[in-house]
Each structure stands twice: as structure tokens, then as C-alpha cells.
Amino acid sequence: MRILFTCRPAYGHLFPLLPLANAARAAGHDVVFGTGEEFVPKVRELGFEAHRVGISIGDAEAEAKRRHGEDAGFVDVGITMFAELLPAATMADLRPLLPELRPGLVIFEQSDVGAGALARQAGIPAVSLVIGRSMPSELLALADERLAPLWGTRPADAMLGDACVDVWPDSVRDPGTAAVPKVFRMRPTPYDPDVPLPPLPEDGFVYLTLGTVVFGATQVLRGAIAALSRLDVDVLVAVGPGDPAALGELPERVRVAGFVPQAEVLEHAGLAVHHGGTGTVLATLAAGLPQLLLPQGADQFANAETLSALGAAKALVGDAIRIGAIEAAARELLDGSAARDVARGIAAEIAGMPAPEEVLAELVSWAG
């Protein structure tokens, strides 16, 4: 079967698709990607056929702000981006490609709604992949009004469609999939770029990252480094696509790297301090580690609230992100066992979820 994967051109949108894409390639299927122009070479470097489809979130945000004004609120800008500009651009680029590619199945990450809508119009089975928590209900209602006409025949969920792959374990499951008639549960499987493991401190160090989107929040990183340096612990900082030199001179027990094989790093860490992005949240839970979340945007706030309520993490938000507060929260998480026990319980749940290879076989059978 030819399987078309589509995503926004961003690491946090591409990486969640790769375990399924690699499983499909290993099983002998013909895998094709559609993504924004800047990520087409990156996908091709991974050995997949790739076509330019859609625009970046940054381009959509710039256009939305041009329409509404720089001082426009998040609701106006966000709805215009995700319910109009992004899906329209995807559909415009993908429409002439579909007759040529003739996929038997389309798998789109949940923000790339245009691909799911166009597949539905063309009668091609399509399934969304959950890559984060759903929008707040009031925003989802507004998005639904704008997205519904794109689908032709209205699906059960205007973002996820009528079928989705859900990677959240039961303990922290997002209620957003409740309306989707067909749900494939899949173990969240971290994809790490092919980079060497940096020299690691002794086991039990603190792993600090702000992911691949808000990695540029150097003030937050510097504050966290200053806070963690007050503890008797080594620190490994990963800045992803950022420049390690931007952090300036570092304390003696702090090491900094760009991209790291995160799953392997987490096997040796004692605590993860990060932005609360879904990929890092799930990877840390799979490793059975406590987390200190410093959310910066998007669904990171919802992740922080969910994990804090469950006892698997502590979270500091907004003005609460101060050096003293980070130090105190990290110290408590390192010294205590409650959050670690909760995280280990969720890690056991994750280990029992179906692997990507199993889910891929189910998807192919479902698509016929």
C-alpha cells in the first residue's frame, strides 16, 4: 500500500509520525511525505519520498497578524491560523498531488487538518495522529465552525476526523478523542535524530530542555541553569536547533548540547526539567521520571496542569518561573519519591500499549 504522511514543517510535528512511517517502510509499504518546503530536504535525508505541501506555522501566524493587526488576541490569530490559513494551504498544494500519488491511506498529524479533509473528499481512508492535547472547548467550538465546511461531509471531530491514533496512556489521556468513532491506541515511541550520545554525568543528573520550538527562550534556560546549579547535581542542557553558545559561560557542573538522543539520555537522568511539550512529557513518563514543567505556550499549559494534578510533576507558570522556585521544586522532586512512583506507574501503562508495528498492521487492514 502507498501511505501518505503529512505534517507541518516542525520537529514536534514530524517526529511523532516517524515511528509509524518507519514501521510502514519496514513492512514493505510505499511511504510518501507531504510537508512544508523547509522540511522537505530533512524528510528526504531520512530516506522518504517527500513533496512540498502547506506552509509553516510561523508563516501562517505572520499572515494572521497582518490581517488582524499585531495587537490582535490569541483567539482571532489562532483560529485564523489553524482553521483557515494552514488547512487551505495544505489543500491547495495536495489537491494536484493526490491523483498522481494515489495513496491507499493518509496519516496526518492532528494540526494538518487540510490533508484529512481533502482525503475525505477524495474517498481515501484517513486517520489523524494525536500529537498534543486538544484545544480548550471554547476554542474548539470556534475552530469547528470554520473547519467543518472544508471536510465536505462533516466528520465526528473537525480536527481529528472519524479515526485517530491516540498515544496518551489512560492515566493522562486527553478527553478530546472521546467523540472520534475509531481510535487506535499506540505506545508513544520517541523518535530521536541520529546524533551521538554526549558525554553524560553520573546517573541521576538533571536533564534540561525547552524542546525544538521555544528553545530560543534563553532567559528561561539561563534562570533554570542558575537554579539547578544551586543543587548538588550535574545538569545536561539540550537546546535542539538552538546555538549552545547563546547560553554564555556555564557553571562548572553544567554541560550543553544541541540535539541529543533524548530517550537514551532519560534512561540515565534523575529528573527532567522542560517546557511541557507533549513529546518530552511522554518520553519522560515512559522513562518513569519525575518532571518539572516550565510551560511557554500551546498545549504545554494543559500538560502541566494534567501532570501536576496527577502528582507526576510540578509546574511553574508565568511569573512563578523564578530561580528560587525552580530550585525548590527541583530539590523536592529529586529528594522525594511520590512523583517518581506515579511516573513509574504510568511508564508501566505505556510499556503495555501496542507498538507502532502492531498499529500499522491494524491501520492497513482498516484502510482495506
Side-chain angles (χ1 to χ4, degrees), residues 15 76 78 80 91 96 154 182 190 199 220 227-228 243 267 270 296 314 322 331 364:
F15 284 2
D76 289 333
T80 298
M91 294 175 82
R154 189 188 188 102
K182 181 64 176 176
V220 177
L228 296 171
D243 179 8
E267 290 178 7
Q296 302 295 303
K314 288 187 175 296
R322 296 181 179 275
R331 188 185 301 278
V364 169

Side-chain angles (χ1 to χ4, degrees), residues 1-310:
M1 178 181 286
R2 173 168 287 172
I3 303 174
L4 172 63
F5 291 81
T6 76
C7 64
R8 303 262 64 84
Y11 293 106
H13 297 247
L14 168 64
F15 284 2
L17 289 173
L18 291 176
L20 272 178
N22 285 329
R25 179 168 57 184
H29 299 290
D30 185 9
V31 177
V32 183
F33 269 84
T35 188
E37 184 172 8
E38 58 267 50
F39 263 59
V40 168
K42 298 180 189 297
V43 174
R44 288 176 178 167
E45 286 173 7
L46 296 173
F48 296 108
E49 179 183 341
H51 299 267
R52 181 183 62 80
V53 172
I55 59 176
S56 70
I57 292 174
D59 288 343
E61 182 179 15
E63 173 60 19
K65 287 182 175 179
R66 187 193 67 79
R67 293 185 183 187
H68 295 287
E70 286 293 328
D71 296 328
F74 170 77
V75 172
D76 289 333
V77 172
I79 295 300
T80 298
M81 288 169 57
F82 287 97
E84 181 179 340
L85 297 173
L86 289 167
T90 291
M91 294 175 82
D93 288 339
L94 191 56
R95 185 173 281 110
L97 279 175
L98 277 186
E100 173 191 342
L101 296 178
R102 299 177 63 187
L105 172 65
V106 172
I107 301 176
F108 63 100
E109 50 91 358
Q110 72 183 83
S111 79
D112 204 7
V113 184
L118 193 61
R120 186 180 181 85
Q121 292 178 20
I124 301 169
V127 60
S128 58
L129 177 74
V130 173
I131 64 166
R133 303 195 89 77
S134 54
M135 291 182 182
S137 56
E138 61 274 14
L139 284 181
L140 194 57
L142 292 173
D144 183 86
E145 291 178 12
R146 302 274 283 278
L147 287 169
L150 300 178
W151 286 90
T153 305
R154 189 188 188 102
D157 186 284
M159 289 200 73
L160 298 175
D162 284 326
C164 73
V165 177
D166 186 4
V167 296
W168 287 105
D170 286 338
S171 292
V172 288
R173 197 171 182 193
D174 179 34
T177 59
V180 180
K182 181 64 176 176
V183 178
F184 300 87
R185 305 295 298 279
M186 184 177 82
R187 181 190 312 154
T189 305
Y191 173 83
D192 288 326
D194 186 16
V195 294
L197 185 70
L200 297 179
E202 292 186 10
D203 283 8
F205 61 89
V206 175
Y207 173 60
L208 171 63
T209 183
L210 292 184
T212 58
V213 175
V214 293
F215 62 87
T218 53
Q219 186 175 352
V220 177
L221 274 178
R222 288 184 185 131
I225 289 169
L228 296 171
S229 296
R230 297 178 176 182
L231 307 175
D232 184 19
V233 65
D234 293 311
V235 180
L236 174 64
V237 186
V239 295
D243 179 8
L247 294 177
E249 188 174 353
L250 298 170
E252 182 180 353
R253 298 184 68 179
V254 177
R255 305 178 189 181
V256 63
F259 279 105
V260 299
Q262 184 168 262
E264 192 171 354
V265 167
L266 289 169
E267 290 178 7
H268 300 277
L271 170 68
V273 180
H274 62 93
H275 56 304
T278 293
T280 307
V281 162
L282 288 169
T284 307
L285 287 173
L289 289 183
Q291 311 183 40
L292 172 55
L293 307 186
L294 312 173
Q296 302 295 303
D299 63 346
Q300 296 160 22
F301 298 101
N303 286 337
E305 183 178 350
T306 300
L307 266 67
S308 297
L310 197 64

